[in-house]
Amino acid sequence: MLKLEKLNKSFNGHRVLDSISTTFPEHETTVILGPSGSGKSTLLRSLNLLERPESGLYRFDDELFDFAKGFSTKEVLKIRRKTEMVFQDYNLFPHLTVLKNITEGPIQVLHEKSDPAKKRAQELLKKVGLGDKAAVYPNQLSGGQAQRVAIARSLAMKPEYVLLDEPTSALDPELELEVLKVLRQLAQEKQSLIIVTHNMAFAREVAERVLFIENGHVLFDGSNQDFFNTKNKRIVDFISAMTFENI
Amino acid sequence: MWDIITNALPQLIAAGLKYTIPIAIISFLIGLVLALLTALVRISKKGGAFYVLKAIVRFYVWLFRSTPLLVQLFIVYFGLPYLKISGLAPEGIKLTPLVAGILTFSLNTGAYCSETMRAAILSIPKGQWEAAYSIGMTRALALRRIILPQAIRVSLPPLANSFISLVKDTSLAASITIVEMFEVSQQIAAQNYQPLVMYCLVAALYAVACSLLSWLQGYLEKVTSRYVSNAN
Ligand SMILES: Nc1ncnc2c1ncn2[C@@H]1O[C@H](COP(=O)(O)OP(=O)(O)O)[C@@H](O)[C@H]1O
Ligand SMILES: [Mg+2]
């Protein structure tokens, strides 16, 4: 279980996350929604310590960390092994083949042996529908393929949580679908997912929990059903605006 | 004229093989190590005592980039013998011409190449660091496995240019009594009174060497950019 308490983060004196408290239960899919610039990415990146909030508590299972006190290198590495980030623009390693992109973490960081790591990478590639792409370089992949490799790369680390920051925003609609299908399967397998997305239909289908953020504040934190049936005007407006966009 | 050339050529090539090429290669290799260390210090995020090291390293780069190489050679070879440090070097620092030459060329090319490497490292997108951190890499591991391999490809053309410059600059070693190729050409010209032929001949030899290096550069660039070509 991942839990945040009173998270505060500013950029140049501008408060981006304002006393955010929430819990991300294990084996559930949480979707983070909200207008652009509301702090979704900053929140997600804080979970992986790519951003460091000035204050707030971070609880990971039985361990409690205090952002105000900072993290030791060891703690940072520990948290990053349990949480894997999938980026909007994939960030595959261009100098490594698809297979090596996936085995790099297991071999270099987890010190797994090369053969089992490769075998598992192949399985993961099959799982995301790219069993035949092991030997190619990332520049030969379409955006949708690249993002599926990035997802496979994150899964290879056997993380407790996979964090996805608008994983399909850079993709054409038909390529978006092949990525969303993979994510739906992961959700069904009860992999813990935290997804920032603008795709309402997808959010509605896979989210068990929804976190709605606006101006760095949590406006809604609850079940999928409650979110899509809410009477809160700001949220109703947001949903209809976003849904219209997707038609 | 053929006689002049066929007589001089073996001597020139011998001097090239004995001094010009070894000096260039050794100095460049030492320079690359210096450049990498310097670049790493300069991009380091460490504070504390590292600030002193950063200041030293910046001074070094500034010094060697803002003074002429010939003057640097003179200071190291002719000047340092007058630098008397009681205890350490009471008699002054006397270096053999070869050591003084290699030292100066290494420091000089190291200063230039460090800027190249620093720029190359900084040119790798932030997302590459973040992806490396996300799979649990330390900064050192991310640098070694993810950033440097990409930075080396980026820095290959400018580094090759530096090496080609260095090959030509080794001719300055003649001024500190190293009998490299250019010095030999001067000596022969003084004997056969054919300065035009001799200096054109030695120029041609430098040109041949540098053309070979350009070709090698092109080959290396092709090999290391497998993954950026044929994008769809
Ligand atoms: N590295 C940064 N430096 C300065 N401001 C930033 C930085 N990252 C994000 N911000 C600002 O913080 C706010 C929230 O950004 P972000 O978390 O990316 O929002 P979202 O992902 O919801 O669109 C925005 O106003 C953005 O401009
Ligand atoms: Mg964002």
Side-chain angles (χ1 to χ4, degrees):
Chain A
M1 187 208 48
L2 223 164
K3 196 174 161 122
L4 299 175
E5 280 172 53
K6 300 218 165 88
L7 208 66
N8 289 302
K9 169 77 183 165
S10 303
F11 286 115
N12 319 318
H14 172 64
R15 182 61 65 88
V16 172
L17 296 179
D18 195 358
S19 196
I20 301 249
S21 300
T22 188
T23 303
F24 300 97
E26 247 166 285
H27 308 304
E28 287 194 11
T29 296
T30 303
V31 165
I32 303 178
L33 299 171
S36 284
S38 57
K40 304 180 297 293
S41 295
T42 307
L43 175 62
L44 200 68
R45 290 160 58 80
S46 299
L47 295 175
N48 199 22
L49 305 184
L50 289 175
E51 300 290 352
R52 305 298 174 88
E54 292 88 34
S55 63
L57 298 179
Y58 184 16
R59 188 184 289 281
F60 207 123
D61 298 332
D62 301 329
E63 284 180 278
L64 185 67
F65 305 97
D66 185 348
F67 276 108
K69 289 198 185 114
F71 295 77
S72 69
T73 307
K74 229 173 138 183
E75 288 168 343
V76 171
L77 295 180
K78 196 166 167 186
I79 289 172
R80 287 200 178 135
R81 276 180 210 182
K82 295 184 181 188
T83 56
E84 283 304 317
M85 191 83 169
V86 174
F87 302 88
Q88 180 175 340
D89 39 10
Y90 338 124
N91 292 343
L92 293 180
F93 305 130
H95 61 301
L96 301 178
T97 61
V98 163
L99 191 78
K100 285 198 173 152
N101 261 275
I102 300 173
T103 57
E104 185 68 7
I107 293 175
Q108 296 297 329
V109 177
L110 302 178
H111 304 294
E112 287 177 15
K113 291 252 168 6
S114 170
D115 283 339
K118 279 185 195 159
K119 194 162 160 272
R120 194 168 136 69
Q122 275 294 356
E123 289 165 11
L124 287 168
L125 277 176
K126 268 208 203 99
K127 184 185 176 106
V128 299
L130 295 170
D132 56 337
K133 295 289 184 194
V136 310
Y137 283 89
N139 66 337
Q140 289 163 292
L141 300 174
S142 72
Q145 292 171 333
Q147 193 59 296
R148 285 181 284 154
V149 172
I151 292 169
R153 176 174 72 180
S154 74
L155 294 174
M157 297 300 288
K158 305 189 179 99
E160 292 188 23
Y161 288 82
V162 180
L163 318 173
L164 302 106
D165 192 1
E166 302 196 31
T168 61
S169 293
L171 301 176
D172 294 335
E174 76 271 22
L175 300 181
E176 177 173 24
L177 283 182
E178 58 191 32
V179 173
L180 294 182
K181 255 165 61 186
V182 168
L183 293 180
R184 177 169 62 194
Q185 191 193 340
L186 290 179
Q188 283 163 355
E189 291 168 1
K190 296 292 161 197
Q191 165 71 51
S192 316
L193 302 175
I194 305 176
I195 312 176
V196 175
T197 183
H198 285 301
N199 187 321
M200 281 297 137
F202 172 69
R204 197 166 193 149
E205 188 194 321
V206 301
E208 276 142 302
R209 287 183 61 255
V210 174
L211 189 66
F212 185 88
I213 306 187
E214 191 177 63
N215 286 329
H217 296 280
V218 174
L219 226 66
F220 179 93
D221 184 355
S223 75
N224 178 325
Q225 247 204 331
D226 289 349
F227 180 79
F228 285 99
N229 293 319
T230 185
K231 298 277 184 296
N232 182 315
K233 185 157 182 337
R234 303 246 1 111
I235 295 176
V236 171
D237 287 351
F238 178 82
I239 294 173
S240 67
M242 294 308 287
T243 311
F244 184 69
E245 239 176 50
N246 283 342
I247 287 170
Chain B
M1 186 167 100
W2 263 141
D3 283 2
I4 304 169
I5 294 176
T6 47
N7 278 336
L9 208 50
Q11 286 171 278
L12 288 175
I13 291 176
L17 292 178
K18 192 163 174 217
Y19 289 111
T20 302
I21 292 173
I23 290 175
I25 291 177
I26 295 170
S27 303
F28 193 66
L29 291 179
I30 300 173
L32 280 183
V33 174
L34 267 175
L36 181 60
L37 295 176
T38 301
L40 290 180
V41 169
R42 291 196 65 183
I43 62 156
S44 156
K45 293 212 163 106
K46 286 204 178 74
F50 238 74
Y51 280 122
V52 181
L53 193 55
K54 276 188 187 179
I56 293 172
V57 147
R58 271 175 59 178
F59 175 73
Y60 152 64
V61 173
W62 168 80
L63 185 69
F64 278 85
R65 276 166 36 108
S66 30
T67 54
L69 178 53
L70 186 58
V71 175
Q72 294 163 14
L73 278 169
F74 272 50
I75 291 174
V76 171
Y77 182 65
F78 298 114
L80 287 188
Y82 294 90
L83 179 67
K84 298 188 167 69
I85 310 166
S86 58
L88 270 172
E91 301 295 310
I93 301 169
K94 294 195 178 85
L95 303 174
T96 66
L98 203 56
V99 170
I102 289 177
L103 180 68
T104 311
F105 290 130
S106 303
L107 287 168
N108 185 276
T109 200
Y112 279 96
C113 294
S114 78
E115 288 290 279
T116 302
M117 288 190 179
R118 189 173 75 103
I121 293 170
L122 294 178
S123 78
I124 305 305
K126 192 164 136 263
Q128 291 291 309
W129 285 100
E130 293 189 341
Y133 287 151
S134 183
I135 56 172
M137 288 191 170
T138 58
R139 193 174 152 83
L141 190 59
L143 198 64
R144 187 161 65 78
R145 299 286 311 177
I146 306 301
I147 305 301
L148 283 182
Q150 297 181 59
I152 284 169
R153 188 192 65 76
V154 174
S155 59
L156 207 66
L159 287 181
N161 284 341
S162 293
F163 184 56
I164 289 171
S165 295
L166 178 60
V167 169
K168 291 178 288 179
D169 286 345
T170 55
S171 58
L172 295 174
S175 64
I176 59 165
T177 75
I178 296 178
V179 216
E180 46 65 66
M181 211 159 61
F182 180 48
E183 172 67 22
V184 170
S185 74
Q186 291 180 56
Q187 289 173 359
I188 301 176
Q191 288 163 13
N192 66 9
Y193 303 107
Q194 297 284 350
L196 180 62
V197 178
M198 286 317 301
Y199 295 146
C200 286
L201 184 60
V202 80
L205 285 177
Y206 280 110
V208 167
C210 292
S211 304
L212 283 174
L213 288 172
S214 293
W215 174 81
L216 183 67
Q217 170 186 358
Y219 173 75
L220 283 177
E221 279 172 29
K222 219 163 91 189
V223 168
T224 55
S225 60
R226 289 190 305 279
Y227 61 85
V228 286
S229 58
N230 63 52
N232 57 4

